[in-house]
Amino acid sequence: MADFETSGVAHRYASALFDLARDDDALEAVEANVATLRALLDESADLRRLVASPVFAAEEQIKGLSAVMEKAGVTGLVANFIKLVAKNRRLFALPGMLKTFDALLASHRGETIAIVTSAEPLTEEQQKALVGVLAEKAGGTVKLETHVDASLIGGLIVRLGSQMIDTSVRTRLAALRNAMKEAA
């Protein structure tokens, strides 16, 4: 499957949403609605299927998403944006659009987004400490986006801009396995 996070479609739509929100002085409201929508997508496999599947007609997608957004309190610009995306049959790129919107907003605020994957959820203390270290490295404000992947066993994978730091046990074990194969 293609990476729609960086696709031209995702970027064009996210840029349009960002420009509209900025022009309407509604960046904070749109940010909150986008966060709610991202959380809904993360939590519901059925919603992800509705968004990603070309089997559903645009009208069905609009109807389903409208009901979900109304119940979740996603209104205004974001609700209209999602309906337009569905009408234009571009919902498959929605997760990428939402991530790109967050990146555009962070850039607008002078923030750097750090994507951190850990084996277990990070505590608030750990997040604060990590933000401090990463802000020093980035030379500015850092916004943390955290993910949990139990297959890491331990450690972290941190993406800060174009840099990636992988201290996961899984990666260390793979490196050890390769070294043992080469020695044999």
Side-chain angles (χ1 to χ4, degrees):
M1 187 173 203
D3 182 5
F4 295 112
E5 291 178 7
T6 57
S7 76
V9 170
H11 194 272
R12 281 191 305 276
Y13 276 81
S15 294
L17 178 61
F18 177 81
D19 290 344
L20 287 170
R22 186 186 56 214
D23 293 348
D24 288 352
D25 198 26
L27 284 173
E28 287 182 17
V30 170
E31 177 185 25
N33 282 329
V34 165
T36 299
L37 202 51
R38 282 186 70 183
L40 290 170
L41 284 168
D42 288 344
E43 294 169 5
S44 173
D46 290 335
L47 185 59
R48 286 191 303 272
R49 198 170 20 261
L50 175 67
V51 165
S53 178
V55 173
F56 296 104
E59 296 77 27
E60 293 173 315
Q61 290 175 318
I62 291 169
K63 187 177 178 182
L65 283 167
S66 293
V68 169
M69 288 187 297
E70 184 178 328
K71 193 148 191 118
V74 175
T75 60
L77 193 55
V78 174
N80 291 336
F81 172 77
I82 299 304
K83 291 173 190 174
L84 176 71
V85 170
K87 181 181 174 197
N88 291 345
R89 305 295 293 160
R90 299 290 185 258
L91 272 179
F92 62 87
L94 183 61
M97 291 174 198
L98 300 178
K99 279 190 173 197
T100 302
F101 176 84
D102 286 344
L104 291 168
L105 186 60
S107 176
H108 175 73
R109 292 178 174 161
E111 299 171 339
T112 302
I113 294 180
I115 302 169
V116 179
T117 307
S118 59
E120 295 180 356
L122 298 175
T123 65
E124 200 169 306
E125 261 181 41
Q126 291 170 324
Q127 288 184 26
K128 285 181 183 177
L130 191 55
V131 165
V133 170
L134 294 174
E136 194 174 298
K137 184 167 180 61
T141 307
V142 171
K143 182 178 178 184
L144 220 56
E145 180 182 315
T146 60
H147 302 277
V148 175
D149 180 357
S151 73
L152 296 182
I153 304 169
L156 300 172
I157 298 175
V158 179
R159 284 189 206 130
L160 183 64
S162 62
Q163 294 181 332
M164 185 168 117
I165 304 159
D166 187 344
T167 63
S168 67
V169 173
R170 178 181 67 190
T171 299
R172 290 180 183 179
L173 287 173
L176 183 60
R177 189 177 307 119
N178 286 339
M180 290 174 69
K181 283 181 184 176
E182 290 175 8

